[in-house]
Amino acid sequence: MRGSRFRRSAIWLVMLGVLLAVLAGCPDQKPKKSADSETVQAPASAASESPSDLERAIAVLDAAIPGIMNDWSIPGMAVAVVSGNATVYAKGFGVRKAGGRDPVDPSTMFQIGSCSKAFTATLAASFADQGAFAFDDPAADHLAFFQLQDPWVTANCQVSDLMAQHLGLPPYSLDSLAALGYSADYILDSLYDVTPVSSFRAQYAYQNAPFLAVATLLEAYGGKSYGALLQERILAPLGMDATNTRVEAIAQNPDAATGHVPTDAGAKPLPWDAPYQQTMNTLAPAGGVNSNVLDMAKWLRFNLNDGVGPRGRVIKQESMEFLRTPQTLMGSLSNGRKLYYCQGWVYLEDGPGPIIWHNGQTFGMTSLTAFSPAEGVGLVMLSNMVGEQDRLVLQTFFGALHGGDVKDLSAKALQAHQKELAENQPAAAPENPSPPLPISAYMGDYASDIYGDVRIINRGGQLTLILGPRKDAIALRHFNRDIFQAQLPWPSEEPSFVRFAIGADGKADLFTTDGLENSLETTFSRIEGEAPQPSHEQGPEE
């Protein structure tokens, strides 16, 4: 990525807020719908005919992708375009793993991240269609455990509110619990401990955890696991035979891409057996689906056909329309067009009709799914690098489809990204930092409402935080006096700060960290009792 690195505060299941620039113009007519097929090459016009708007847009996108990949150091990418009932373009670019030779093709598997949310919402619609519940039912009527801090919100939160991103909680609440190995049940119980930052239904704030509550509801009525229900009710009827919901399934697939993160040395592959990869299993209803562009093209055609699959109707048309009905205002573009969150989809005002889309990001992959109901056209992009390629592919395709100027979008975005990095460098350590207190002043048992009991120990002369069910050991590097830096146990280029507050007895009463709850401070208070003593794992105290 030309020597600059990509940073995001929450790097898994990321949903970009306002990511589109102006999409100028409208096509003169709708692209022609072709017969049902599985075409995997770009369409070619007869020599006597001029290219259609759709053919031009595909050609522009096809030409732009290599440049986007080069600008952002993306090892591999796959893209498909659908028109009506046909997949009119499907192509792989690059390689599955940096430094390797295995090419990406349309059947290569990727994690689709938060594009999974629309699958969960559609699965919920299948139960609502059968009368198991209604989207406007209070969630607590069906989920005895469901409880938020405000009793009124708990009582009035509807099933649809769980998927509309407006519960009033801080963005990305509780995501770190999954990355640290806490269970889905623990995460759901912890919703009560999250302090709201806005009024209920008043403000957009992206969440993953509430989708776990939806999955629990579906499992209660369906009598099977989320993955089994999704397979039975959505994937099998659509013929999405390659798609699944387990990390192990993609890790063991010989035609799967490997996730990467950018570094100054280039794309860094991420190992599938790293503990943090289990995050996608825990948060499967919010971001754990694995697929390829051929299967995702079937998903797009199903959505363009308002719930009709290859063997007939799967979801009622009115339910499909509800899933993409605006629920929460996200923001406005520079041209005044508004973005809304729906039920696992985002609604972008555009002409001749809205663009319905969602993007996703896991620890090492970025995805995009988008379609225009009015034009009968859809687009999917899957890639094996975290980055900004989702918005660039979306802008390029729909901008070209609508006759806009999409030249140099990637170069301009990269320039803006590099400027942002330069203006937001991490805090540098002081040249002459104040020394810390003796290690024993910080050692001890601490607890927070959300993360439970943790421990600060001396391991080989290194102050170390022991956190989570896996007992992850996080080294604390001294920064200045009672402030330390911690590299959390998942890929992230920006260390978190751990700040100790010292009591009258000369020992820490508490510490805060800014890296667990999406840069909000989390407080851990000391539990009364003796500090843990050095063991065979620990070195002598300094």
Side-chain angles (χ1 to χ4, degrees):
M1 201 161 57
R2 296 182 181 173
S4 67
R5 290 183 281 182
F6 182 82
R7 293 187 175 92
R8 279 183 187 165
S9 56
I11 67 169
W12 61 91
L13 303 178
V14 167
M15 168 66 203
L16 301 184
V18 181
L19 58 67
L20 293 177
V22 176
L23 293 176
C26 299
D28 294 331
Q29 59 184 13
K30 296 180 181 179
K32 296 178 182 178
K33 295 185 179 181
S34 52
D36 192 357
S37 69
E38 284 291 343
T39 304
V40 294
Q41 295 180 351
S45 295
S48 60
E49 297 179 0
S50 60
S52 69
D53 294 326
L54 178 58
E55 289 171 330
R56 284 195 298 269
I58 290 173
V60 169
L61 180 62
D62 185 80
I65 287 173
I68 293 173
M69 293 177 63
N70 180 67
D71 286 345
W72 300 88
S73 299
I74 302 165
M77 182 184 293
V79 177
V81 175
V82 303
S83 177
N85 288 322
T87 301
V88 296
Y89 173 88
K91 185 174 179 180
F93 299 81
V95 294
R96 300 176 210 163
K97 184 176 181 179
R101 295 183 178 180
D102 294 331
V104 170
D105 58 46
S107 64
T108 300
M109 295 292 292
F110 295 82
Q111 294 173 312
I112 72 168
S114 283
C115 292
S116 306
K117 289 181 171 64
F119 283 89
T120 299
T122 305
L123 181 60
S126 75
F127 282 89
D129 284 352
Q130 295 176 349
F133 56 82
F135 279 111
D136 59 1
D137 283 351
D141 285 359
H142 301 275
L143 298 169
F145 67 84
F146 181 73
Q147 192 173 11
L148 301 172
Q149 279 193 9
D150 188 320
W152 186 91
V153 176
T154 299
N156 288 275
C157 178
Q158 299 175 356
V159 173
S160 61
D161 291 315
L162 298 174
M163 298 182 285
Q165 309 293 11
H166 58 206
L167 292 183
L169 307 180
Y172 304 101
S173 295
L174 308 177
D175 281 6
S176 290
L177 287 174
L180 289 166
Y182 293 84
S183 69
D185 287 344
Y186 185 99
I187 294 170
L188 289 172
D189 287 343
S190 298
L191 282 170
Y192 176 80
D193 297 311
V194 181
T195 301
V197 294
S198 68
S199 298
F200 180 50
R201 296 180 183 151
Q203 184 173 310
Y204 166 80
Y206 194 71
Q207 308 289 335
N208 292 300
F211 280 79
L212 301 184
V214 176
T216 302
L217 171 62
L218 305 183
E219 290 172 343
Y221 280 106
K224 298 179 181 178
S225 70
Y226 167 80
L229 291 171
L230 186 66
Q231 175 66 35
E232 178 183 283
R233 288 171 169 255
I234 304 297
L235 303 181
L238 300 190
M240 297 179 66
D241 299 331
T243 304
N244 55 66
T245 59
R246 299 293 295 178
V247 171
E248 294 77 13
I250 190 171
Q252 296 166 9
N253 190 317
D255 191 12
T258 296
H260 298 76
V261 291
T263 70
D264 288 337
K268 176 184 176 182
L270 300 179
W272 283 114
D273 60 356
Y276 57 77
Q277 295 283 17
Q278 292 300 309
T279 302
M280 296 303 111
N281 285 341
T282 305
L283 295 180
V289 173
N290 310 307
S291 193
N292 58 34
V293 296
L294 297 178
D295 266 17
M296 291 298 288
K298 298 174 184 178
W299 170 243
L300 284 169
R301 285 151 49 187
F302 163 75
N303 279 276
L304 285 169
N305 287 320
D306 290 327
V308 176
R311 294 189 292 273
R313 181 161 296 282
V314 179
I315 305 294
K316 293 180 179 178
Q317 181 172 348
E318 53 266 36
S319 296
M320 296 295 291
E321 292 173 350
F322 172 73
L323 295 181
R324 56 181 189 248
T325 298
Q327 302 289 327
T328 309
L329 178 64
M330 296 170 62
S332 299
L333 305 183
S334 58
N335 59 7
R337 293 175 182 173
K338 292 180 172 58
L339 283 164
Y340 299 89
Y341 204 86
C342 306
Q343 301 282 298
W345 287 110
V346 176
Y347 178 109
L348 168 64
E349 292 180 339
D350 197 45
I355 296 173
I356 309 299
W357 62 275
H358 210 290
N359 60 345
Q361 193 173 108
T362 65
F363 284 108
M365 301 194 184
T366 301
S367 61
L368 169 74
T369 310
F371 64 99
S372 170
E375 298 168 283
V377 173
L379 167 73
V380 58
M381 182 281 300
L382 306 176
S383 65
N384 58 356
M385 169 69 89
V386 297
E388 299 188 14
Q389 55 269 33
D390 45 2
R391 73 179 180 93
L392 293 170
V393 168
L394 184 60
Q395 286 176 307
T396 299
F397 177 74
F398 281 101
L401 182 65
H402 297 167
D405 181 8
V406 297
K407 185 179 180 181
D408 300 325
L409 281 177
S410 181
K412 292 175 182 176
L414 182 61
Q415 184 179 21
H417 171 68
Q418 291 173 328
K419 180 181 178 181
E420 181 183 4
L421 286 181
E423 294 174 349
N424 295 279
Q425 290 296 315
E431 293 184 6
N432 299 298
S434 299
L437 297 172
I439 282 184
S440 59
Y442 307 107
M443 291 169 58
D445 293 320
Y446 299 78
S448 81
D449 290 338
I450 292 176
Y451 291 88
D453 295 349
V454 303
R455 177 166 281 198
I456 301 286
I457 67 171
N458 173 356
R459 175 168 287 181
Q462 174 74 61
L463 200 63
T464 303
L465 168 63
I466 307 298
L467 174 66
R470 295 192 303 259
K471 305 298 181 185
D472 286 304
I474 303 169
L476 305 183
R477 295 182 292 106
H478 185 248
F479 185 81
N480 189 28
R481 183 47 197 260
D482 303 315
I483 303 174
F484 295 77
Q485 285 184 323
Q487 190 66 52
L488 296 174
W490 52 75
S492 177
E493 295 178 6
E494 295 183 0
S496 299
F497 283 96
V498 174
R499 296 174 171 85
F500 290 91
I502 308 303
D505 60 357
K507 293 186 177 182
D509 287 334
L510 59 85
F511 70 87
T512 62
T513 180
D514 61 6
L516 294 175
E517 288 298 304
N518 194 39
S519 298
L520 295 178
E521 283 195 344
T522 302
T523 299
F524 294 82
S525 300
R526 182 184 287 275
I527 300 173
E528 293 300 327
E530 293 185 4
Q533 297 302 308
S535 69
H536 65 279
E537 293 185 306
Q538 303 165 333
E541 292 188 20
E542 291 183 343

